[in-house]
């Protein structure tokens, strides 16, 4: 697995650039991962990130977009403003979670 | 007398009661099943209706006729499940009690989830083929349609039978060729996925076939709304695709009863143990078929493999034994690819569809991940197998678990 230095930490990433160990995540890493995809994190972003982390811990998988909009108090339109170009994937990326699986 | 209650007498529920009635002692267990509709639809047949290959009569039968004697069939809408009291309330006010409950209420399409889908265009230039009415209306439309841009759009995953939209396009290509108007039709597949299909090897093969048939593919398109006046669909990230005829696979959700009982996830699918099929929240409720939240395909073949595992686990549950974690996500799907050919894919939670041969005593072998005439016959034979073997709960020469026999890595 490739590693990279993010916010001063050595972090393991998968082939798609998602963190392989959610436990190694912290807020500084989130800030830098977001900056790399051109996003400056606001309070609304943090609300989404906190939901994603909590939910992934409980369910064992990163929540999909619909699950986020139903539970984190943001609309679909908000999500596309917060994380343009793939809000489902980007929310997981910044939250230090694996890429959400699309179902067969 | 103990009570086994099954909700939904579709593909899965019918198999469950027919199999369990044979096994459970009638002096000890009463079995009842509830469904709201007298007609049992063969849903895989909806794919063929728009092209005039099947008519209405080919896909309907009387539901009661498929329930074996000794099972009580209750025709009523289910209002809500009350799992804390082991009770189910029907819409006519009756209340049923149970010792063991099996939820088999399936999945349905909900076009009202997408803004503008059901406005003036609905059933004029916008159709679905996941419902009997939708597929029949589309058949009427296609008989006189003069051509243009035909867009097939999947609103959101998961959907029942995830290959059906591709099969629709393959059959449409064939249909317009036969009518000598293929040159007047643009075929476009607009999907939220990042390729033709989810698993890599099948995606490559299906992508090749789409290309060969001159079917355009637009990926990662998450529909936000339909603009009927301008005849276009718009994604959440503001991309647009124009259409003359829109064939939509609307958002698929679990039954309304799951929502009313507050037992589902964000799409009203019931959280279920992926290997034992026991509900994650209630230890006297099993869930089977399309109603589960499992990442296995929502398909009749999958329901069949699940019922094999479920049957064993119901017996173990009754005897107080530990449940077997035997369901492996096994799916086996014939994909109709047009011009009298088809493809067979066989896979599970872990193993993506692989090429090779699929051995089937008496009929096979079928070729896997390859277009053949034999696979087309397999698909057409499935209707007979469905009514005559699957629903009655006959033993099929198929293992519930996926096997590597004949497959090439
Ligand atoms: C267009 C299309 C093509 C398909 N092609 C294939 C294919 O080629 N191969 C394949 O294997 N599968 C295919 N499928 C999928 C297959 O039809 C389903 O996966 C299968 O029918 C699921 O069975 P089920 O018992 O879970 O649900 P269903 O068969 O849908 O049964 C659910 C039952 O519950 C009842 N119900 C729900 N809510 C209530 C309520 N509140 N009160 C009373 N009753 C209720 C319904 O009336 C229904 O009878 C296709 C599906 C579609 C739509």
């Amino acid at each position: 697995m490739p590693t990279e230095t993010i916010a001063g930490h050595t972090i393991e990433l998968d082939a798609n650039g998602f963190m392989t160990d959610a436990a190694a995540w912290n807020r500084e890493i989130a800030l830098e991962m977001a900056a790399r995809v051109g996003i400056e994190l606001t309070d609304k972003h943090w609300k989404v990130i906190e939901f994603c982390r909590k939910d992934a811990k409980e369910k064992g998988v990163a929540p999909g977009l619909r699950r986020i909009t139903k539970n984190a108090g943001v609309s679909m339109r908000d999500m596309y403003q917060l994380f343009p170009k793939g809000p489902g994937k980007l929310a997981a990326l910044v939250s230090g979670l694996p890429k959400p699986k699309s179902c067969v | 007398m103990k009570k086994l209650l099954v909700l939904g007498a579709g593909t899965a529920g019918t198999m469950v009661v027919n199999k369990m009635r044979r096994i459970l002692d009638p002096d000890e267990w009463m079995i009842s099943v509830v469904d709201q509709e007298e007609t049992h639809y063969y849903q895989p047949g909806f794919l063929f209706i728009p092209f005039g290959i099947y008519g209405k009569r080919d896909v309907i039968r009387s539901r009661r006729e498929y329930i074996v004697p000794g099972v009580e069939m209750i025709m009523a809408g289910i209002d809500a499940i009350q799992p804390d009291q082991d009770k189910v309330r029907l819409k006519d006010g009756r209340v049923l009690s149970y010792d063991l409950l099996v939820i088999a209420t399936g999945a349905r399409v909900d076009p009202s989830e997408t803004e503008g889908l059901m406005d003036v265009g609905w059933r004029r230039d916008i159709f679905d083929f996941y419902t009997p009415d939708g597929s029949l209306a589309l058949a009427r439309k296609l008989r006189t349609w003069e051509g243009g841009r035909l867009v097939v759009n999947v609103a959101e995953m998961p959907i029942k039978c995830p290959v059906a939209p591709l099969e629709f396009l393959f059959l449409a290509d064939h249909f317009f060729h036969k009518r000598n108007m293929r040159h007047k039709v643009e075929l476009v597949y607009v999907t939220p996925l990042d390729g033709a299909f989810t698993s890599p090897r099948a995606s490559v093969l299906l992508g090749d076939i789409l290309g060969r048939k001159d079917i355009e593919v637009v990926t990662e398109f998450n529909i936000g709304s339909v603009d009927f006046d301008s005849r276009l669909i718009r994604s959440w990230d503001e991309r647009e695709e124009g259409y003359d005829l829109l064939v939509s696979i609307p958002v698929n959700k679990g039954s309304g009863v799951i929502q009313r009982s507050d037992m589902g996830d964000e799409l009203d699918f019931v959280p279920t143990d992926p290997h034992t099929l026991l509900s994650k929240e209630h230890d006297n409720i099993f869930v089977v078929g399309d109603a589960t939240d499992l990442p296995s395909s929502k398909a009749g073949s999958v329901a069949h493999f699940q019922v094999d595992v479920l049957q064993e686990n119901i017996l173990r549950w009754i005897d107080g034994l530990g449940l077997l974690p035997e369901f492996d996500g096994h799916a086996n799907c014939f994909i109709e690819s047009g011009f009298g050919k088809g493809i067979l894919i066989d896979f599970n939670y872990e193993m993506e569809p692989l090429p090779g041969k699929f051995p089937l005593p008496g009929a096979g072998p079928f070729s896997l991940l390859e277009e053949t005439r034999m696979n087309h016959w397999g698909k057409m034979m499935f209707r007979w197998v469905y009514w005559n073997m699957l629903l009655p709960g006959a033993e099929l020469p198929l293992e519930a678990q996926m096997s590597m026999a004949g497959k090439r890595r």
Side-chain angles (χ1 to χ4, degrees):
Chain A
M1 286 283 172
T3 59
E4 259 187 65
T5 307
I6 303 176
H9 303 270
T10 306
I11 297 294
E12 210 172 85
L13 300 176
D14 70 10
N16 297 310
F18 289 72
M19 284 176 63
T20 55
D21 178 14
W25 177 94
N26 62 36
R27 291 175 75 96
E28 284 72 48
I29 295 174
L31 283 168
E32 187 168 328
M33 301 262 284
R36 287 180 182 196
V37 289
I39 297 172
E40 199 180 312
L41 296 183
T42 63
D43 287 353
K44 229 171 177 177
H45 289 97
W46 285 113
K47 205 159 88 176
V48 173
I49 293 169
E50 271 152 28
F51 169 76
C52 290
R53 300 233 4 129
K54 185 173 102 334
D55 196 60
K57 205 164 177 185
E58 281 167 21
K59 304 278 168 192
V61 288
L65 193 51
R66 179 180 278 267
R67 189 169 173 80
I68 298 174
T69 57
K70 200 121 192 225
N71 296 288
V74 289
S75 69
M76 196 67 96
R77 193 146 277 142
D78 293 338
M79 282 299 285
Y80 274 89
Q81 270 158 16
L82 296 172
F83 302 96
K85 306 226 182 311
K89 271 189 238 171
L90 290 179
L93 181 93
V94 175
S95 305
L97 301 171
K99 187 171 160 182
K101 282 207 174 71
S102 38
C103 306
V104 187
Chain B
M1 193 77 130
K2 294 228 165 68
K3 286 183 189 156
L4 169 63
L5 178 60
V6 178
L7 302 183
T11 314
T14 301
M15 284 191 279
V16 171
V17 294
N18 290 346
K19 287 195 173 213
M20 293 320 295
R21 188 62 291 170
R22 239 170 268 150
I23 302 171
L24 293 179
D25 183 347
D27 293 330
E28 283 178 27
W29 282 88
M30 181 177 157
I31 305 180
S32 309
V33 60
V34 192
D35 205 292
Q36 62 206 358
E37 245 189 296
E38 288 280 355
T39 307
H40 187 131
Y41 293 96
Y42 173 63
Q43 298 176 46
F46 297 168
L47 169 69
F48 297 104
I49 289 178
F51 308 106
I53 301 169
Y54 285 173
K56 186 170 176 180
R57 260 186 275 156
D58 296 313
V59 300
I60 57 172
R61 294 283 170 89
S62 153
R63 199 180 295 281
R64 289 174 195 271
E65 265 174 44
Y66 284 85
I67 305 293
V68 296
V71 173
E72 181 192 21
M73 172 88 239
I74 302 169
M75 280 298 167
I78 306 157
D79 185 24
I81 305 165
Q82 299 163 326
D84 302 329
Q85 302 169 42
D86 297 339
K87 288 200 161 61
V88 171
R89 202 173 57 229
L90 303 183
K91 287 191 174 155
D92 60 17
R94 275 182 288 175
V95 175
L96 309 173
S97 62
Y98 60 82
D99 295 282
L100 184 60
L101 184 72
V102 176
I103 299 178
T105 42
R108 64 195 170 104
V109 294
D110 185 357
S112 72
E113 281 277 343
T114 303
E115 191 188 320
L117 197 55
M118 289 183 90
D119 283 358
V120 271
W122 186 243
R123 305 247 159 116
R124 265 169 57 184
D125 320 274
I126 305 178
F127 294 85
D128 81 287
F129 68 94
Y130 269 49
T131 56
D133 293 355
S135 63
L136 287 164
L138 183 51
R140 271 191 301 277
K141 178 77 180 183
L142 287 181
R143 277 215 300 268
T144 55
W145 192 55
E146 288 180 351
R149 189 173 164 88
L150 192 166
V151 170
V152 175
N153 172 241
V154 175
E156 188 171 326
M157 295 299 284
I159 57 171
K160 305 197 233 198
C161 195
V163 291
L166 291 170
E167 297 182 278
F168 181 92
L169 282 157
F170 296 153
L171 288 174
D173 171 66
H174 187 186
F175 176 85
F176 294 123
H177 264 291
K178 268 194 319 210
R179 305 192 135 217
N180 292 322
M181 57 181 286
R182 182 62 182 91
H183 60 285
K184 289 199 228 155
V185 178
E186 255 181 279
L187 291 174
V188 190
Y189 183 45
V190 181
T191 166
L193 296 175
D194 57 11
F197 195 57
T198 39
S199 48
R201 283 171 92 154
S203 193
V204 170
L205 173 74
L206 293 166
D208 279 354
I209 299 178
L210 287 164
R212 226 171 44 228
K213 295 186 192 285
D214 199 17
I215 298 168
E216 187 191 334
V217 183
V218 178
T219 57
E220 296 186 85
F221 188 100
N222 291 289
I223 189 169
S225 59
V226 180
D227 183 339
F228 174 69
D229 291 328
S230 328
R231 300 244 172 121
L232 51 84
I233 56 176
R234 195 172 287 117
S235 67
W236 286 105
D237 58 359
E238 308 282 323
R239 286 187 289 156
E240 291 174 349
E241 287 294 333
Y243 65 82
D244 294 302
L245 182 58
L246 176 62
V247 176
S248 165
I249 293 84
V251 176
N252 281 223
K253 292 198 278 181
S255 167
V257 56
I258 304 303
Q259 187 192 25
R260 291 190 293 275
S261 315
D262 197 19
M263 288 175 71
D265 65 6
E266 60 280 6
L267 283 167
D268 303 332
F269 294 121
V270 187
T272 306
D273 182 284
H275 301 293
T276 66
L277 305 174
L278 193 69
S279 143
K280 281 190 177 163
E281 275 155 37
H282 305 279
D283 59 12
N284 61 344
I285 301 181
F286 284 99
V287 195
V288 66
D290 293 351
T292 74
D293 74 335
L294 302 184
S296 49
S297 281
K298 296 198 181 299
S301 65
V302 177
H304 168 74
F305 297 133
Q306 289 179 345
V307 170
D308 277 353
V309 173
L310 181 66
Q311 166 186 340
E312 191 57 37
N313 274 343
I314 290 181
L315 293 179
R316 295 179 71 96
W317 185 92
I318 290 173
D319 292 334
L321 303 171
L323 303 181
L324 296 175
E326 299 257 274
F327 180 60
D328 64 353
H330 189 192
N332 180 287
C333 302
F334 286 104
I335 307 172
E336 191 62 11
S337 60
F339 295 93
K341 289 193 179 172
I343 302 161
L344 178 62
I345 55 177
D346 190 67
F347 56 104
N348 68 12
Y349 286 142
E350 254 87 61
M351 194 58 72
E352 66 162 316
L354 293 174
K357 293 280 174 210
F358 183 75
L360 185 65
F366 291 94
S367 303
L368 289 165
L369 212 50
E370 198 186 328
E371 263 193 289
T372 65
R373 291 200 174 276
M374 177 84 168
N375 287 336
H376 163 67
W377 290 115
K379 177 102 189 177
M380 300 320 273
M381 235 165 53
F382 187 58
R383 182 167 60 119
W384 187 88
V385 171
Y386 184 86
W387 295 122
N388 297 290
M389 295 181 79
L390 215 61
L391 291 186
E395 286 300 320
L396 295 184
L398 280 174
E399 285 294 319
Q401 286 72 33
M402 195 201 81
S403 153
M404 284 302 289
K407 295 194 171 71
R408 294 193 310 270
R409 282 193 195 247

